[in-house]
């Protein structure tokens, strides 16, 4: 049986990861870690998340760089649910201990060092790891995931958007010189667990933010191979992402061609559900690992709708998909 640890385990995605790993028949959850300065160190995870009482009662242990070798003794899998600059520094240390690292931050998602200075506010120190890292869009990069020890799990908005757009781009159906326009709304859990006035219940409203400068926009561009217009919105609900994406198709593209593109991409992918005669709704995906896709077409105009749980398919359950791919387990193991 493989052994795994989660670093940054006190956050929403860390708790979801711990829950999935506890259910995994091939993996033992061997440790949960937080930073030395965390107010949650020493507490049981179940003390923070009541749904995990009797399920995940492991303590949250403080972790310093000097303790990494000890934490990695006998460990096969390290999952980093940490801030971008923290993952940037920790990943090389864990890789040096012969573990396979799954990073949920943005620290290794784009193979351009300048990207990090512009969008993440730090200078990337490990260009060799940027070259090595595989982007963990599970339905599209399965073979590459199997052959690396560093998997960069995609962002939540990016997962919803790329899952919707890549079948069209791969089939060459998108009109040249027209940018797909993505309007996506996320629940406030995407802002994390730390207290913040902007994401407090009484302050939250449906509103756009980070217009033209959200860091997921260049991530989408990079992995789609096409530029997009991306506008994120904050919704007054806890979790989930619904993306509405406007696409201009090439002249003469038929509804059958669009349908075939999605069928080719996802007919054998159990986590992506193609809606038949209905459109996606958050109530059908929240609390599940699914991405639901639906679309409507009029002439050259196509609107694609993509719905995911931002904490699951947008983070923790996709990380589990990547773990399953990397180690040869069925992709739905512990997820369904």
């Amino acid at each position: 049986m493989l052994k795994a640890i989660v670093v940054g385990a006190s956050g929403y995605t860390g708790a979801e990861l711990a829950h999935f790993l506890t259910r995994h028949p091939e993996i033992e959850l061997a440790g949960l870690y937080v930073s030395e300065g965390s107010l949650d160190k020493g507490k049981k995870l179940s003390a923070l998340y009541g749904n995990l009482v009797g399920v995940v009662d492991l303590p949250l242990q403080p972790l310093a760089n000097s303790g990494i070798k000890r934490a990695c003794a006998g460990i096969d899998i390290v999952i980093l649910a940490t801030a971008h600059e923290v993952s940037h520094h920790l990943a090389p240390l864990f890789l040096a201990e012969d573990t396979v690292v799954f990073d949920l931050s943005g620290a290794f998602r784009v193979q351009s060092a300048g990207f990090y200075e512009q969008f993440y506010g730090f200078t990337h120190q490990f260009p060799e790891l940027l070259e090595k890292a595989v982007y963990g869009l599970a339905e599209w990069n399965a073979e590459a995931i199997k052959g690396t020890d560093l998997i960069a799990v995609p962002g939540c908005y990016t997962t919803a958007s790329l899952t919707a757009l890549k079948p069209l781009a791969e089939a060459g159906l998108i009109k040249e010189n027209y940018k797909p326009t993505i309007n996506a709304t996320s629940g406030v859990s995407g802002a994390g667990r730390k207290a913040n006035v902007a994401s407090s219940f009484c302050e939250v409203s449906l509103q756009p933010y980070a217009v033209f400068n959200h860091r997921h926009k260049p991530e989408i561009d990079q992995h789609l191979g096409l530029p997009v217009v991306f506008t994120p919105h904050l919704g007054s609900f806890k979790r989930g992402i619904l993306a509405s994406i406007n696409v201009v198709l090439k002249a003469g593209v038929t509804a059958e061609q669009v349908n075939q593109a999605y069928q080719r991409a996802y007919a054998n992918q159990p986590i992506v559900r193609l809606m038949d005669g209905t459109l996606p709704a958050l109530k059908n995906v929240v609390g599940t690992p699914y991405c639901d896709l639906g679309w409507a077409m009029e002439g050259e105009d196509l609107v694609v709708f993509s719905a995911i749980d931002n904490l699951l398919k947008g983070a923790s359950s996709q990380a589990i998909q990547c773990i399953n791919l990397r180690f040869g387990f069925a992709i739905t193991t512990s997820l369904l």
Side-chain angles (χ1 to χ4, degrees), residues 22-307:
T22 300
R23 300 202 304 250
H24 203 295
E26 307 290 345
I27 300 173
E28 176 190 342
L29 178 57
L32 301 174
Y33 292 91
V34 293
S35 68
E36 285 187 295
S38 172
L39 296 176
D40 295 320
K41 65 183 179 184
K43 299 176 183 177
K44 293 180 179 180
L45 185 63
S46 56
L48 305 183
Y49 298 94
N51 63 307
L52 298 181
V53 172
V55 180
V56 187
D57 292 319
L58 291 174
L60 296 163
Q61 304 176 61
L63 180 67
N65 286 0
S66 59
I68 285 177
K69 180 177 286 291
R70 183 172 65 253
C72 286
I75 298 300
D76 306 285
I77 298 165
V78 174
I79 310 175
L80 299 178
T82 45
H84 316 293
E85 63 275 15
V86 175
S87 286
H88 167 264
H89 292 298
L90 287 181
L93 301 177
F94 282 110
L95 289 168
E97 298 302 323
D98 198 28
T99 63
V100 182
V101 174
F102 298 81
D103 178 29
L104 275 71
S105 85
F108 298 95
R109 290 175 184 160
V110 175
Q111 293 180 330
S112 168
F115 166 84
Y116 296 93
E117 293 183 16
Q118 182 177 358
F119 291 99
Y120 284 90
F122 67 88
T123 301
H124 211 290
Q125 303 293 323
F126 306 102
E128 71 283 0
L129 291 184
L130 288 180
E131 292 295 324
K132 175 181 180 177
V134 169
Y135 193 63
L137 193 63
E139 282 76 21
W140 288 91
N141 293 335
E143 291 306 313
I145 289 168
K146 294 174 185 178
T148 186
D149 291 338
L150 176 57
I151 294 89
V153 181
C156 52
Y157 282 125
T158 320
T159 295
S161 301
L162 289 176
T163 305
L165 285 170
K166 280 188 74 69
L168 303 174
E170 294 292 318
L173 302 183
I174 300 174
K175 193 168 187 175
E176 293 91 345
N177 302 319
Y178 281 81
K179 297 179 181 179
T181 300
I182 304 164
N183 289 292
T185 303
S186 173
V188 292
S189 57
R193 182 169 168 264
K194 288 184 179 179
N196 186 313
V197 170
S199 57
S200 70
F201 180 80
C202 291
E203 297 293 330
V204 169
S205 174
L206 178 59
Q207 63 191 72
Y209 67 98
V211 178
F212 289 124
N213 62 10
H214 195 284
R215 57 184 55 145
H216 283 182
K217 190 273 185 197
E219 185 183 333
I220 296 168
D221 291 348
Q222 168 90 17
H223 295 286
L224 182 63
L226 298 170
V228 301
V229 177
F230 171 66
T231 306
H233 297 73
L234 178 67
S236 51
F237 51 91
K238 285 185 179 180
R239 57 197 291 174
I241 286 177
L242 180 66
S244 301
I245 306 172
N246 295 82
V247 180
V248 178
L249 300 170
K250 290 179 177 177
V253 171
T254 65
E256 180 60 25
Q257 287 176 286
V258 171
N259 183 66
Q260 287 178 355
Y262 283 108
Q263 290 293 335
R264 278 196 301 271
Y266 300 126
N268 297 313
Q269 296 289 350
I271 297 298
V272 179
R273 303 189 296 193
L274 304 180
M275 301 291 94
D276 184 12
T278 61
L279 295 177
L282 286 185
K283 66 179 182 179
N284 297 328
V285 295
V286 168
T288 83
Y290 293 115
C291 176
D292 284 358
L293 295 178
W295 56 91
M297 182 176 170
E298 183 176 76
E300 294 181 359
D301 293 317
L302 178 73
V303 186
V304 187
F305 303 93
S306 178

